[in-house]
């Protein structure tokens, strides 16, 4: 009895502490959401009048289309429906500053309501903790997404139709009220009418009829009050097609825009677009109906919105909010795969395509249509799990290894950083590597304090090396001029192996040694971050850019040192990001990893040749000082040390497997190693 009582009190205490932690996390997340909202509002209002709320100003400003008598579409500035123009008419008399503040605040309020409604509509079952933090997380993701940021800057109304649909499906009672809200959304954005078949096929026929009637009434009212504009929009421009910016621009993320960008035009393009649009509508709505009947109505709404985006003649960036909602679907039966689809959607909706994919001509068709392709994947291809699946709530768990004992009791400092024996999801790894390298390149390019500071640091490094008697850069640089084959070899090595070898090492580890892959990848990441810190706080001119020191730039050719930009190279890289030398640091990382994990001695020796050749190349080509290589070695050593301190030793203890049961023969036990492979032994 005493033991039971004691256990009950312990459970109560544990539950209370868990609730306290959840409440604290929820408060922090709400604070983050509020900070993001305030930051977005301040960013918009700080912009000059000609750069903020640009679309709204062209509609409601002194010379805006809503002030000009005649058609709304004479100046090609207004791209909304005639009903939207009718709704915006009363705003034309508002003061510009008051309208800007009110419009921005209202948009942020709409985003907050949208996040709360979406969080409450998550398909269950979900844990209590997840339900408590879902709303602030959803609002934060919406705030940083490209559609919301674009809508805030331009003053667009594209958030309102999405909000009306969600309110109609999840917040109001009664099918008639639901239909009225969705019908008003369709009057503002005609492709919202695709929700009518979704409602009809899921048994909400009264809501479907109410949606159609509301849309028809709003459109008829606009025809009666603005017949010329209605004719221009619905007939002359075929539901607004061709209004606004060029439809073949990158901003138009629809099937029509993609076909125009690849060079199709005229009747062929229109016919192909109609065929593809019909196929997407049929396939996408069938999937949406299936998930709605499965109890995942929010996912069904998101898929229908993705269909609407892709088949619309024009789908601008601020209209792509439906794609972000599609992340609520669960994909993958394994726990390690569950983050792939949400991570992909968040990255696509928050980062430009140039960050997600390299700047290679062969990838331009993908890079230019990343949001459209994501919407198509969501609508037609991604195999979202039904709620009836045994893995919907309980995916196959990830296998973790027991950490190897460390020399110090406080290592690892992060005991929750557990080593995974299986390899991570490849798509997620590629996304992380690409986005991480893009961020690295951007920070590296920005981390400069000017030519004078970099050259002053260069003279300091040169004087330190002279004092240490390690100033061999000029001797090495001029020595290879007498052996052109050696100069060509070092130039080639410098330019060719910097990325190839680390990626190859990561690839081999990923395939053959997944547990070591995670260890090595973490060390490389820490070393790179520390290198960026060095670039930022200690900009350094390499020897080849130091005037008066008689160095020869063997890789890039003669540089005009009188020109502060030093030619075209400054446009693509920060030439003062020399300390530490990640060129040498990454090569040393490769050598250490190969030396640690390679099974044969000759492999280890071959791996260590790479940092040796690299340090010779960076010094002989005058791209780095000797101390730069020392700095590269330091950050790599610090990277491995951080992994050790935070996660423990590299080695792991494999989980114990059950001992094989001894086979019998004639009633006598046989050693497991002598068990035969025939049918008698398997019985």
């Amino acid at each position: 009895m005493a033991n039971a009582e004691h256990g009950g009190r312990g459970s109560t205490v544990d539950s209370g502490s868990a609730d306290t932690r959840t409440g604290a996390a929820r408060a922090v997340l709400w604070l983050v959401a509020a900070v993001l909202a305030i930051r977005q509002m301040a960013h918009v209002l700080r912009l000059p009048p000609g750069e903020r709320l640009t679309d709204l100003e062209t509609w409601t400003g002194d010379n805006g289309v809503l002030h000009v008598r005649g058609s709304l579409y004479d100046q090609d500035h207004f791209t909304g429906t005639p009903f939207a123009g009718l709704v915006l008419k009363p705003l034309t008399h508002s003061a510009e500053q008051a309208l800007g503040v009110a419009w921005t605040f209202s948009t942020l309020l709409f985003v907050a309501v949208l996040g709360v409604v979406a969080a409450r509509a998550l398909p269950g079952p979900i844990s209590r903790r997840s339900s408590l933090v879902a709303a602030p997380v959803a609002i934060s993701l919406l705030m940083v997404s490209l559609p919301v940021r674009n809508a805030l800057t331009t003053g667009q109304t594209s958030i309102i139709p999405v909000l009306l649909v969600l309110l109609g499906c999840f917040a109001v009672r009664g099918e008639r009220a639901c239909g009225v809200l969705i019908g008003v959304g369709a009057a503002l954005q005609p492709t919202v009418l695709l929700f009518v078949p979704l409602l009809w096929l899921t048994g909400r026929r009264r809501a479907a009829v109410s949606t159609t009637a509301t849309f028809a009434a709003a459109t008829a009212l606009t025809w009666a009050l603005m017949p010329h504009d209605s004719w221009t929009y619905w007939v002359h421009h075929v539901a607004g097609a061709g209004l606004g910016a060029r439809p073949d621009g990158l901003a138009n993320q629809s099937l029509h825009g993609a076909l125009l960008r690849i060079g199709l035009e005229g009747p062929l393009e229109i016919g192909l677009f109609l065929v593809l649009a019909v196929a997407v509508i049929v396939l996408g709505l069938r999937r949406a109906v299936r998930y709605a009947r499965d109890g995942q109505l929010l996912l069904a709404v998101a898929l229908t919105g993705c269909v609407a985006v892709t088949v619309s003649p024009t789908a601008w960036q601020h209209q792509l909010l439906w794609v972000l909602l599609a992340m609520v679907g669960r994909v993958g039966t394994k726990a390690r795969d569950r983050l792939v689809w949400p991570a992909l959607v968040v990255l696509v909706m928050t980062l430009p395509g140039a960050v997600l994919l390299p700047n290679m001509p062969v990838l331009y068709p993908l890079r230019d249509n990343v949001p459209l392709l994501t919407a198509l994947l969501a609508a037609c291809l991604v195999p979202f799990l039904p709620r009836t699946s045994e893995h919907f709530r309980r995916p196959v768990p990830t296998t973790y290894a027991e950490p190897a004992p460390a020399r110090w009791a406080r290592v690892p400092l992060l005991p929750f950083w557990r080593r995974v024996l299986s390899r991570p999801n490849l798509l997620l790894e590629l996304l992380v590597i690409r986005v991480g390298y893009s961020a690295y390149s951007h920070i590296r390019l920005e981390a400069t304090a000017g030519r004078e500071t970099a050259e002053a640091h260069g003279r300091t490094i040169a004087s330190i090396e002279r004092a240490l008697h390690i100033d061999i850069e000029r001797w090495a640089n001029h020595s290879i001029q007498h052996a052109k084959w050696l100069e060509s070899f070092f130039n080639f090595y410098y330019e060719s192996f910097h990325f190839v070898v680390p990626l190859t090492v990561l690839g081999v580890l990923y395939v053959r040694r997944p547990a070591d892959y995670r260890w090595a990848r973490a060390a490389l990441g820490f070393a790179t971050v520390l290198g960026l810190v060095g670039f930022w706080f200690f900009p350094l001119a390499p020897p080849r850019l130091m005037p008066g020191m008689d160095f020869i730039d063997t890789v890039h050719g003669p540089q005009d040192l009188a020109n502060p930009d030093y030619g075209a190279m400054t446009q693509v890289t920060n030439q003062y990001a020399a300390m530490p030398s990640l060129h040498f640091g990454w090569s040393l990382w490769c050598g250490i990893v190969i030396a640690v994990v390679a099974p044969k001695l000759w492999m280890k020796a071959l791996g260590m040749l790479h940092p040796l050749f690299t340090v010779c190349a960076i010094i002989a080509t005058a791209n780095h000082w000797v101390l730069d290589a020392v700095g590269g070695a330091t950050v790599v050593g610090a990277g491995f040390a951080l992994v050790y301190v935070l996660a423990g030793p590299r080695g792991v203890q494999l989980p114990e497997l059950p001992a094989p049961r001894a086979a019998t023969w004639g009633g006598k036990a046989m050693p497991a190693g002598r068990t035969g492979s025939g049918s008698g032994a398997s019985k």
Side-chain angles (χ1 to χ4, degrees), residues 297-624:
L297 183 56
L298 180 59
L299 177 59
V301 169
L303 298 189
T304 307
C306 289
V307 172
V309 166
T310 57
V311 304
S312 176
T314 53
W316 311 116
Q317 189 180 80
H318 53 81
Q319 297 172 325
L320 302 178
L321 205 53
W322 302 107
V323 183
L324 189 62
L325 296 177
M327 68 179 291
V328 300
R330 301 185 186 183
V331 184
T333 59
K334 299 179 181 179
R336 67 187 180 93
D337 296 332
R338 281 292 171 88
L339 288 178
V340 178
W341 173 247
L344 175 64
V345 173
V346 170
L347 290 176
V348 169
M349 288 293 100
T350 55
L351 300 174
V355 174
L356 299 175
L357 293 171
N359 187 24
M360 300 169 59
V362 69
L363 296 178
Y364 285 171
L366 291 176
R367 191 187 70 175
D368 296 344
N369 300 288
V370 167
L372 168 64
L373 294 174
T374 308
L376 283 172
L377 286 174
C380 304
L381 294 176
V382 176
F384 298 107
L385 291 176
R387 294 173 69 243
T388 54
S389 171
E390 60 176 327
H391 301 297
F392 182 83
R393 186 173 184 179
R394 294 183 178 87
V396 178
T398 302
T399 303
Y400 295 97
E402 292 294 330
R407 293 186 178 182
W408 295 280
R410 294 188 179 274
V411 174
L413 290 181
L414 301 180
F416 55 84
W417 186 345
R418 296 181 294 172
R419 294 283 173 80
V420 181
L421 295 178
S422 60
R423 59 184 56 86
N425 185 279
L426 180 58
L427 178 59
L428 187 59
E429 284 297 296
L430 293 176
L431 284 172
V432 170
I433 291 174
R434 172 56 198 169
V435 173
Y437 179 72
S438 180
Y440 158 77
S441 301
H442 179 74
I443 296 174
R444 173 189 167 102
L445 190 61
E446 296 295 326
T448 178
R451 175 183 178 182
E452 293 183 0
T453 302
E455 290 180 355
H457 289 163
R459 289 188 290 271
T460 301
I461 291 293
S463 63
I464 294 175
E465 290 189 355
R466 282 195 298 271
L468 297 175
H469 302 290
I470 58 174
D471 53 331
I472 62 172
E473 294 87 357
R474 186 177 181 279
W475 168 81
N477 181 238
H478 284 262
S479 295
I480 64 172
Q481 302 302 309
H482 303 295
K484 290 300 182 182
W485 65 270
L486 191 59
E487 177 185 349
S488 300
F489 171 75
F490 283 142
N491 289 347
F492 174 77
Y493 207 91
Y494 179 83
E495 291 183 305
S496 303
F497 292 94
H498 182 40
F499 298 106
V500 173
V501 178
L503 290 176
T504 302
V505 171
L506 285 173
V508 172
L509 291 178
Y510 180 86
V511 174
R512 302 295 298 272
R513 307 285 289 269
D516 284 330
Y517 169 82
R518 296 174 184 272
W519 161 77
R521 178 198 57 184
L524 181 63
F526 282 134
T528 303
V529 170
L530 293 173
L532 288 176
V533 174
F535 298 158
W536 192 274
F537 289 102
F538 195 78
L540 173 65
R544 63 185 177 84
L545 296 183
M546 289 297 294
M549 290 193 176
D550 194 26
F551 283 101
I552 302 170
D553 191 342
T554 63
V555 176
H556 310 102
Q559 297 288 324
D560 181 11
L561 299 185
N563 179 5
D565 292 334
Y566 298 132
M569 284 299 298
T570 306
Q571 303 300 322
V572 296
T573 184
N574 176 12
Q575 306 222 47
Y576 300 141
M579 172 63 80
S581 170
L582 288 186
H583 223 103
F584 174 70
W586 288 1
S587 69
L588 181 62
W589 172 87
C590 295
I592 293 175
V593 171
I594 294 173
V596 169
V597 304
K600 298 184 181 298
L601 182 61
W602 68 267
M603 295 179 181
K604 300 176 187 291
L606 187 62
M608 293 308 297
L609 287 178
H610 178 50
L612 176 62
F613 287 154
T614 300
V615 72
C616 293
I618 64 175
I619 292 175
T621 58
N623 278 281
H624 284 283

Side-chain angles (χ1 to χ4, degrees), residues 5 154 158 182 189 191 196 224 228 235 288 302 378 397 406 460 464 479 611 616 679:
E5 221 173 80
T154 59
S158 52
I182 300 177
Q189 188 173 322
T191 50
V196 171
H228 178 69
V235 180
T460 301
I464 294 175
S479 295
C616 293
S679 59

Side-chain angles (χ1 to χ4, degrees), residues 57-348:
E57 280 191 4
T58 60
W59 304 342
T60 62
D62 293 337
N63 298 317
V65 293
L66 298 182
H67 273 301
V68 177
R69 294 186 178 183
S71 175
L72 295 173
Y73 308 104
D74 286 343
Q75 300 182 23
D76 287 336
H77 293 319
F78 190 76
T79 59
T81 63
F83 180 75
L86 187 64
V87 172
L88 287 170
K89 277 284 188 182
L91 300 178
T92 57
H93 301 289
S94 302
E96 179 185 351
Q97 188 66 27
L99 178 60
V101 174
W103 188 274
T104 304
F105 182 79
S106 300
T107 303
L108 292 174
L109 181 61
F110 292 156
V111 172
V113 175
L114 182 63
V116 172
V117 174
R120 292 185 175 181
L122 289 175
I126 59 175
S127 65
R128 179 173 176 271
R129 293 183 182 180
S130 298
S131 63
L132 289 175
V133 301
V137 170
I139 295 173
S140 299
L141 288 176
L142 289 170
M143 289 294 178
V144 299
S145 67
L146 292 174
V148 169
R149 284 151 51 191
N150 186 272
L152 282 168
T153 303
T154 59
Q156 279 284 355
T157 61
S158 52
I159 296 175
I160 298 177
V162 181
L163 178 59
L164 290 174
V165 170
L166 290 188
L167 289 175
C169 292
F170 302 107
V172 299
R173 295 184 178 180
E175 294 193 5
R176 183 171 298 175
C178 166
V180 169
L181 289 176
I182 300 177
V184 173
L188 295 172
Q189 188 173 322
T191 50
V192 173
L193 281 175
L194 286 172
F195 283 91
V196 171
L198 175 66
L199 294 171
W200 185 272
L201 294 174
T202 53
R204 306 181 69 178
R205 299 188 174 183
R206 186 173 297 177
V209 172
S210 179
T211 298
T212 306
T214 302
F215 169 78
T219 305
L221 175 64
T222 312
W223 270 93
L225 299 177
M226 307 167 68
H228 178 69
D229 288 335
S230 297
W231 174 271
T232 301
Y233 181 86
W234 291 107
V235 180
H236 180 68
H237 282 288
V238 191
L243 290 174
R246 290 174 55 88
D248 60 347
L250 296 180
N252 181 15
Q253 290 293 313
S254 70
L255 280 172
H256 178 53
L259 293 175
L260 291 175
R261 282 191 291 274
I262 65 176
L264 297 178
E265 59 183 10
L268 175 62
E269 187 274 329
I270 295 175
L272 183 58
F273 167 65
L274 292 177
V275 171
L276 292 176
V278 171
V280 171
I281 290 174
V282 172
L283 182 58
L285 287 183
R286 286 183 61 183
R287 283 163 49 87
V289 170
R290 183 166 70 249
Y291 288 116
R293 291 173 176 171
D294 184 58
Q296 301 186 65
L297 183 56
L298 180 59
L299 177 59
V301 169
L303 298 189
T304 307
C306 289
V307 172
V309 166
T310 57
V311 304
S312 176
T314 53
W316 311 116
Q317 189 180 80
H318 53 81
Q319 297 172 325
L320 302 178
L321 205 53
W322 302 107
V323 183
L324 189 62
L325 296 177
M327 68 179 291
V328 300
R330 301 185 186 183
V331 184
T333 59
K334 299 179 181 179
R336 67 187 180 93
D337 296 332
R338 281 292 171 88
L339 288 178
V340 178
W341 173 247
L344 175 64
V345 173
V346 170
L347 290 176
V348 169

Side-chain angles (χ1 to χ4, degrees), residues 625-649:
W625 307 91
V626 172
L627 288 180
D628 294 347
V630 175
T634 302
V635 297
V636 168
F640 283 110
L642 278 173
V643 174
Y644 178 84
V645 170
L646 298 177

